[in-house]
Amino acid sequence: MLNSSSRLSHLKKFLVEVASTSSATLGFTMPKNIRVIAFSLLTRLVIYSSVKTYLPHEMREPLRKYRDEELKILRGNGEGELKEWDRVYDYALYNDLGDPDKGPNYERQTLGGSAKFPYPRRGRTGRPPAKSDPSCESRLPLQDSLLIYVPKDDRFSQLKLSEFLAYALKALPQNMFPLFEAYCGNRPKEFASFDEVLRLYGDDKNAWRTDAEFAREMLAGVNPVVICRLEEFPPVSKLDPEIYGNQNSLIRKEHIEKNLDGYTVEQALMDNKLFILDHHDSLMPYLRRITTTTTKTYASRTLLFLKPDGTSTPLAIELSYPHPEADIYGCVNKVYTPAEDGVEGTIWQLAKAYVAVVASGFHQLISHWLKTHSTMEPFVIATNRQLSVVHPVHKLLQPYFRDTMNVNALARQTLINANGILELTVFPAKYAMEMSSAVYKNWNFLEQALPSDLKKRGIAIDDEKSQHGLRLLIQDYPYAVDGLEIWFAIEEWVKN
């Protein structure tokens, strides 16, 4: 009796013969689609059972036309509604977020395909247009969410689907917010209760409210990818003053020098001691509209000082909102500085809370959804349309792409859609996705490599004497320290 390895070997040989043997040799005409199916099965056996890969010119000559036929199938013809059994990878705009047939409250801006509202492409489903707005794609009923089209090769495995459903069911009784984490691949119940979170701080149940913890979370919290080195004081805005007026900061030396451990502002800047968490320019253009909803928040700037012991501490928080009369008049700013007691202490805690709200929403909407999920989908589509599964680059990328299209499709159905979970839980509310489009205008693929990102944010500098030629200006920065180890390990592996 053949063992599993032998059976696999025989199956591969059989598929090679089916795909490459001429009809004259076989004595009958082999239907072309059977050859393409045989090639598809063969390539998947190769990709999963062997480290061997093939560049296009290395492919066995009789198999090349069937490889090309398979890629043609994967590209589709851009027509018709795609079904569960299809394997088509095609592009579409984000015109399926709204549901105009339900009324004005469910109308949403199409994202992508324009300079005003740029966005990464999503996978095409080919569903019919909405009845009330043909520019929008119709939506599936909520109960049919799992039926949304995803190319067959990229659908959840049975195990992944079971985990997904389990997370979703756990999340529903909890105001649905943990469902976001379930969709995005994280465990929604890392802690069984909030008491377990507080136990992390030992006997001091108020430790999470300290300035030290507030600053630490910008480097080691859920969103450590926004903090930048401050290069100019006071901070300045890059918003167009002809549209938004004066948006520059009102933080002054007298607000912060008392907490600089003897440094002047100029010395602290020169010695790379000042950092900023800046959520002003990304939020201000939408803030007037956001506050027309039930959400009320501020744009924020937070200045931090890197202390000699390597920890950081907040120096000032600036909260801003649009001028009541018009955008052209700029914004109204209020600066808050650290305080522990009395009314000032309470106000300082509230200022930190507003920063945390904005940072959390930015993390979910921009750092996580836009820059992690959405921007990757066009690469998943392009890889499957252009590279055979036995191409070395396809094999290299495939593990990183796994489940991305299925996760994103379900997100469009229940997470980022009109009145979806994200709009109900993140501060931009109904303007969330449109705001993410505005942020995407500044997204540059060449800046996404971790070393490039750290240098752009001023957190790292080139240094030939440091490991990998890069030196971190903040040593206690777990995201950067661990991330660079992984980055350069992968880089070495790929090169070798």
Side-chain angles (χ1 to χ4, degrees):
M1 183 175 179
L2 296 175
N3 59 32
S4 59
S5 178
S6 297
R7 289 198 300 271
L8 190 60
S9 177
H10 280 282
L11 178 56
K12 287 164 66 176
K13 290 178 180 178
F14 168 74
L15 291 170
V16 168
E17 292 302 318
V18 171
S20 60
T21 304
S22 68
S23 297
T25 302
L26 290 171
F28 63 91
T29 300
M30 178 74 73
K32 185 172 69 173
N33 64 325
I34 296 298
R35 294 186 186 277
V36 176
I37 291 171
F39 174 80
S40 176
L41 291 172
L42 171 65
T43 52
R44 277 153 182 74
L45 282 174
V46 171
I47 204 74
Y48 291 116
S49 66
S50 171
V51 296
K52 178 65 176 175
T53 56
Y54 302 90
L55 290 169
H57 69 277
E58 297 172 332
M59 180 66 68
R60 185 173 172 179
E61 181 63 36
L63 293 177
R64 292 184 186 179
K65 63 178 180 179
Y66 302 117
R67 174 198 61 199
D68 296 339
E69 284 289 338
E70 188 195 31
L71 287 175
K72 184 177 180 181
I73 290 172
L74 294 175
R75 292 168 187 154
N77 59 12
E79 299 176 357
E81 183 173 0
L82 298 169
K83 302 298 183 182
E84 180 183 0
W85 52 84
D86 285 319
R87 299 173 58 227
V88 173
Y89 293 81
D90 203 356
Y91 302 100
L93 306 178
Y94 275 74
N95 65 343
D96 63 340
L97 301 178
D99 195 352
D101 293 343
K102 284 187 175 181
N105 288 337
Y106 287 83
E107 294 175 356
R108 293 296 182 271
Q109 177 66 49
T110 292
L111 303 180
S114 69
K116 186 175 181 180
F117 298 107
Y119 221 68
R121 295 295 191 268
R122 64 171 175 91
R124 187 178 77 85
T125 68
R127 291 196 303 270
K131 295 177 181 178
S132 58
D133 185 354
S135 68
C136 295
E137 188 173 273
S138 60
R139 294 184 55 80
L140 291 175
L142 184 61
Q143 64 270 20
D144 293 337
S145 294
L146 293 177
L147 301 179
I148 190 169
Y149 173 75
V150 176
K152 189 171 179 61
D153 299 343
D154 267 87
R155 294 192 71 83
F156 285 156
S157 66
Q158 288 299 316
L159 177 61
K160 177 67 177 181
L161 180 60
S162 298
E163 292 177 349
F164 170 80
L165 291 174
Y167 291 150
L169 289 173
K170 288 179 182 178
L172 286 174
Q174 303 174 46
N175 297 323
M176 299 189 298
F177 184 75
L179 189 57
F180 179 88
E181 299 294 345
Y183 277 161
C184 296
N186 299 322
R187 296 180 183 274
K189 293 196 69 175
E190 290 286 349
F191 299 98
S193 68
F194 198 73
D195 286 337
E196 289 189 9
V197 178
L198 292 177
R199 288 187 202 127
L200 294 174
Y201 299 98
D203 295 332
D204 186 358
K205 295 295 181 67
N206 292 318
W208 63 275
R209 301 175 59 186
T210 65
D211 288 355
E213 178 63 14
F214 174 71
R216 187 195 69 84
E217 288 178 1
M218 298 181 196
L219 296 168
V222 295
N223 191 24
V225 297
V226 179
I227 187 171
C228 298
R229 178 164 54 90
L230 185 65
E231 298 181 353
E232 184 176 1
F233 185 88
V236 296
S237 171
K238 294 181 180 179
L239 294 176
D240 187 347
E242 293 187 1
I243 300 175
Y244 298 104
N246 182 7
Q247 295 285 337
N248 294 334
S249 174
L250 291 185
I251 300 175
R252 297 293 181 260
K253 292 180 180 181
E254 54 267 28
H255 289 125
I256 67 173
E257 282 197 330
K258 59 186 176 182
N259 292 317
L260 289 181
D261 290 354
Y263 280 88
T264 65
V265 170
E266 291 77 14
Q267 290 171 334
L269 282 171
M270 184 177 300
D271 290 351
N272 301 321
K273 297 293 184 181
L274 295 180
F275 295 83
I276 185 170
L277 186 73
D278 195 340
H279 290 301
H280 184 95
D281 285 5
S282 59
L283 188 54
M284 185 57 71
Y286 279 86
L287 196 53
R288 191 181 301 277
R289 279 173 284 177
I290 290 170
T291 54
T292 63
T293 69
T294 56
T295 297
K296 303 294 183 286
T297 191
Y298 298 94
S300 68
R301 293 184 178 106
T302 305
L303 263 56
L304 299 106
F305 174 62
L306 183 63
K307 299 164 64 176
D309 63 2
T311 63
S312 56
T313 187
L315 296 170
I317 292 173
E318 182 177 50
L319 301 180
S320 309
Y321 60 91
H323 194 282
E325 295 184 18
D327 289 346
I328 190 60
Y329 295 110
C331 60
V332 178
N333 300 331
K334 178 68 175 178
V335 178
Y336 302 90
T337 55
E340 294 184 3
D341 303 316
V343 174
E344 291 81 5
T346 300
I347 292 175
W348 174 243
Q349 291 295 335
L350 285 173
K352 291 193 294 183
Y354 272 111
V355 172
V357 167
V358 172
S360 174
F362 192 92
H363 160 64
Q364 301 287 15
L365 177 61
I366 306 300
S367 300
H368 195 167
W369 162 253
L370 174 65
K371 295 185 178 181
T372 305
H373 285 267
S374 183
T375 55
M376 286 299 101
E377 189 159 357
F379 293 95
V380 181
I381 298 170
T383 298
N384 284 278
R385 287 170 63 89
Q386 303 298 332
L387 303 178
S388 166
V389 291
V390 293
H391 194 290
V393 175
H394 189 293
K395 186 169 184 178
L396 179 69
L397 294 176
Q398 196 275 336
Y400 298 96
F401 290 162
R402 184 179 293 119
D403 297 330
T404 297
M405 289 193 71
N406 211 150
V407 167
N408 290 2
L410 290 167
R412 297 198 311 274
Q413 182 66 14
T414 61
L415 175 66
I416 61 175
N417 58 303
N419 286 344
I421 297 169
L422 191 121
E423 288 192 359
L424 295 174
T425 57
V426 177
F427 68 84
K430 66 181 291 186
Y431 300 104
M433 292 301 291
E434 191 176 323
M435 192 182 103
S436 73
S437 169
V439 174
Y440 180 65
K441 289 180 181 180
N442 297 318
W443 188 87
N444 186 328
F445 175 73
L446 298 178
E447 296 173 346
Q448 303 312 303
L450 181 57
S452 300
D453 171 65
L454 292 172
K455 287 192 287 186
K456 179 186 177 183
R457 291 192 284 122
I459 304 294
I461 58 175
D462 291 317
D463 183 358
E464 294 181 357
K465 297 181 180 180
S466 298
Q467 187 179 20
H468 306 301
L470 201 65
R471 178 165 61 88
L472 291 173
L473 298 179
I474 303 177
Q475 297 301 315
D476 187 16
Y477 189 4
Y479 166 78
V481 173
D482 296 345
L484 287 173
E485 289 293 325
I486 296 171
W487 174 269
F488 288 114
I490 293 175
E491 182 182 61
E492 182 178 356
W493 175 66
V494 171
K495 286 181 176 179
N496 293 337

